[in-house]
Amino acid sequence: MSSDRKASTAVPTSRRRQSMFVAAFGTIVEWYDFSIFFYVSASLANTFFNGDDGSLLLTLALGTAGFIFRPLGAMVFGHLGDRIGRKSSLIVSASLMAVALLGIAVMPGFDTIGIWGGVGVLVLRCLAGFAVGAEYTGIMVYLVESARDGRRGLAASWAAANSEVGSLLAVGGGYLMARYLSPEDLDAWGWRVLFLVGALLAAAMVPLRRLMDETDTFTEVKDTAENTERSPLITVLRSHPRAVLVAFLVSSVGSAAYFLNITNVPTYLETTASIDSSTSLWLGTVAAGVAIVITPFAGVASDRFGRRPVFILLGIVILATTIPAYMLLGGGAGSTALLGGALLAVPAAGWSAVAASAVPEQFTAVGRFSGMAIGYNTATVLFGGLSPFVATWLMNVTGSPYAPAWYAVAIILLAGIPMLMLFRDRAQVPLDEINSGVRSG
């Protein structure tokens, strides 16, 4: 590490910690946004599609549409993040998220403007997907580049932990609305309050992010010839295709585990186990709380023992528990469903925690934001946003309540095995060496 860099990181220690805290807070809003849509999908179906046959599947498809726009946002914001800075990209992203969430909160329903309400939600959902195209990845990059060597796993796990906080706020808010409002009031205005809360959280991020300091890594490479002569995205795709592929594979496992084994559980309980909304959302709240507690321990373990061993352990646990956990969910009883939810949530959250540092470490400084954003968001579209829709469709087609479990296992095997073969464990490699490509790890 150069003396200049040592000086730059030694002086603003308190400001750097403040910046890391503000950055990590952004994942709360992102995951609140995308989780709340699925948690109140039944109310959205009644509001915008009149609760007709197939309306729930159509609503889930709208939720999926937002994910489809994430790669486009990843290309745009990834380029901006590598060219003009991590901080500026995250400020613009937060502003667009606030607009999208507020727009959905005030969108008139089917009774007022017919199908155009659903069309409006589709457009705003796509805007939200575009806005967060590099949100989570940008935050992970920022935390990894701001952390001390040997603590990157713990620091980046903040992003994963806060994503669980966002999901917890979403499922907890949904539970409170379902618990204390009648189904008619929940459909009429209750769900709108939840989206309004998300809009306020996103708006609050804009002034907070203006207080952030840019990372030293970006400051050092922003004016280099490699970063200015051509697009950072083109640079990373040409120079580091393996890193992009690893980012995609790691995120494929994480997305399938997260969206099928955490986000989709309340909806699964309502439709399959005939558990009422308030009970299913309460079970989801408890499971999310357990996942939050587990997340930093997974980050610390990956710092101490390496990313690969922890990935292997978590992968085995996910494969071993997914099908039995879904059987427990299908039992219908509160205690068994709670155990099933915890068995699904804990390893899924642990995988996300390790991935938060492991994926950025696959890239050198130039193109890190772009390459990670593309790999992560492509996987999120295919195996994240599409998963609740595909799982519901598979259950309808096969008639099996365990179709989501088999689908999750298939994705985890197909993506996890090649990922472990290609993955470079760089937990013990100094960031300066990773940035310059001195060691492949």
Side-chain angles (χ1 to χ4, degrees), residues 34 37-38 41 44-45 49 54-69 118 121-123 125-126 381 385-390 392-393:
F34 273 87
F37 193 96
F38 293 106
S41 56
L44 293 173
F49 302 108
S55 61
L56 178 59
L57 201 58
L58 183 57
T59 302
L60 292 175
L62 290 187
T64 300
F67 284 85
I68 294 175
F69 272 72
V121 171
L122 172 62
V123 172
R125 192 65 178 168
C126 291
V381 170
L386 279 173
S387 289
F389 175 83
V390 172
T392 302
W393 177 79

Side-chain angles (χ1 to χ4, degrees), residues 1-276:
M1 179 183 291
S2 68
S3 59
D4 289 340
R5 177 165 179 174
K6 286 181 180 178
S8 69
T9 56
V11 176
T13 301
S14 60
R15 284 185 58 85
R16 182 65 66 189
R17 288 176 179 171
Q18 171 186 289
S19 296
M20 293 172 70
F21 176 81
V22 171
F25 175 73
T27 59
I28 295 178
V29 182
E30 176 190 357
W31 289 96
Y32 176 92
D33 166 30
F34 273 87
S35 296
I36 198 63
F37 193 96
F38 293 106
Y39 288 144
V40 298
S41 56
S43 293
L44 293 173
N46 291 331
T47 300
F48 294 106
F49 302 108
N50 212 29
D52 296 333
D53 292 341
S55 61
L56 178 59
L57 201 58
L58 183 57
T59 302
L60 292 175
L62 290 187
T64 300
F67 284 85
I68 294 175
F69 272 72
R70 289 181 71 133
L72 178 59
M75 287 188 286
V76 174
F77 285 107
H79 176 85
L80 293 175
D82 281 324
R83 185 57 60 85
I84 68 173
R86 286 44 166 150
K87 170 184 171 180
S88 298
S89 177
L90 291 173
I91 290 173
V92 176
S93 170
S95 301
L96 293 178
M97 286 173 63
V99 170
L101 284 162
L102 179 61
I104 293 176
V106 301
M107 182 64 61
F110 186 89
D111 292 341
T112 304
I113 58 174
I115 195 64
W116 291 107
V119 173
V121 171
L122 172 62
V123 172
L124 291 168
R125 192 65 178 168
C126 291
L127 175 63
F130 178 84
V132 302
E135 180 75 16
Y136 187 57
T137 51
I139 292 167
M140 287 191 285
V141 168
Y142 190 94
L143 293 175
V144 165
E145 291 182 348
S146 300
R148 291 184 297 162
D149 290 330
R151 301 293 295 274
R152 294 192 299 265
L154 174 60
S157 71
W158 290 7
N162 281 348
S163 71
E164 296 296 339
V165 173
S167 294
L168 180 61
L169 288 176
V171 70
Y175 163 73
L176 290 175
M177 289 295 175
R179 176 69 176 81
Y180 294 106
L181 296 180
S182 66
E184 293 75 19
D185 286 340
L186 182 61
D187 290 347
W189 57 269
W191 68 265
R192 295 182 186 275
V193 173
L194 298 174
F195 276 90
L196 180 60
V197 169
L200 293 174
L201 288 172
M205 284 199 301
V206 177
L208 286 174
R209 284 182 171 176
R210 294 185 184 278
L211 302 176
M212 292 167 56
D213 291 321
E214 190 54 82
T215 69
D216 294 299
T217 295
F218 174 76
T219 301
E220 291 172 2
V221 304
K222 67 177 180 179
D223 295 324
T224 62
E226 187 180 6
N227 194 49
T228 57
E229 289 179 355
R230 60 184 179 184
S231 165
L233 178 59
I234 294 175
T235 297
V236 75
L237 289 176
R238 289 180 176 176
S239 304
H240 306 289
R242 173 175 172 171
V244 176
L245 177 58
V246 169
F248 171 79
L249 293 172
V250 171
S251 302
S252 295
V253 175
S255 295
Y258 187 93
F259 283 92
L260 285 172
N261 294 357
I262 297 180
T263 303
N264 192 52
V265 167
T267 301
Y268 179 85
L269 288 171
E270 290 181 44
T271 58
T272 304
S274 299
I275 293 179
D276 62 87

